[in-house]
Amino acid sequence: MERVCGVLGVEHLDCAAQAHHASLAIVILASVVVGVLTVVLFARNNSYSSETPTNTLPRVPGVPILGNALDLASGEDLVEILEKWADKYGAETGAFELNAAGKRLVVVCREDTLLDVMKHRPFEVVRGDMMKEVVSMIAAGVFTADGETWRTERRAIGHAFGFGRLDAFVQGLQTTSSRLVDVWKHQCKQLIQEGKPPIFEVTEDLHRYTLDSVAYVALRLDLNSISKSESSTEIVRDIRSCFTILQKRFDSLIPYYRLPFGLGAVLDGGRGPAKRLNKLVADIVTELQHQYQTQ
């Protein structure tokens, strides 16, 4: 019996030692990760602090290392936060700067300032490297290009958007607008018949209207997602997911989306929606090419 108890005691001690070592390894690993993140944030913040202010724009005060990241991640409505800062820091210059954990952001908050900035797009004023990198993971093309890349791609599609095609664009937009009005009329009529006030949410309908308009102008495709068919619902959901993921990547303090082998897209779910949308566009282009070849 003593021998059995001794064996059991040794096994128990071995298990306890292994658990202790595993816990110690986890603590050490967590400490290393926290240390690396702290160094990265400190380096980014130090780089931000050493930069020369853009035209001496007002800067929103923030805490060391994190800057204004805590305010942006506070859960308060982002638009309200920016409007409050615009009133306080951007009233005179029409723009201000903030520090999101080392990421330097310039916020333009007045129309005349914005128009002056847009005069220099897309050659002198270009998108930041981070924005280019994030956007290119989901969509790339003339709408996201800068400089000579934009010039080349703009020349390639210029004919499709010439003045001679405006009439066709207007007809398509009129059709899409009429469908939206019909949907709203039907919704109002149904609510009135039920004895309810004709008040309803229109955000979803406006998303679909925008999708139909862009699809017709850019691809000459009558998608008619306003009809809320199952296939169009999936497209709207994927587009919305992509924009949500883009915002998540912009807001992220750590550029996890740079992980190799597409791991970043796996972490935030961006691979699925982007893959389905790219396939949709590729299928549409193939179909249009086939139509032109058979005409």
Side-chain angles (χ1 to χ4, degrees), residues 8 14 20 30 96 119 148 172 201 222 226 253-254 295:
L8 291 176
D14 288 342
H20 174 73
F96 61 91
K119 291 178 183 178
E148 290 303 320
E201 177 63 48
D222 187 8
I226 295 178
L253 300 181
I254 305 300
Q295 287 180 354

Side-chain angles (χ1 to χ4, degrees), residues 154-170:
R154 176 65 178 83
R155 189 182 300 117
I157 68 170
H159 179 69
F161 291 91
F163 285 102
R165 298 178 179 270
L166 291 182
D167 289 341
F169 293 157
V170 171

Side-chain angles (χ1 to χ4, degrees), residues 35-72:
V36 171
L37 294 180
T38 303
V39 171
V40 171
L41 291 176
F42 178 79
R44 289 176 57 178
N45 186 72
N46 186 57
S47 175
Y48 171 85
S49 301
S50 63
E51 292 179 352
T52 302
T54 305
N55 297 327
T56 62
L57 290 175
R59 287 184 174 180
V60 180
V63 299
I65 299 181
L66 294 179
N68 311 111
L70 296 179
D71 295 316
L72 297 175

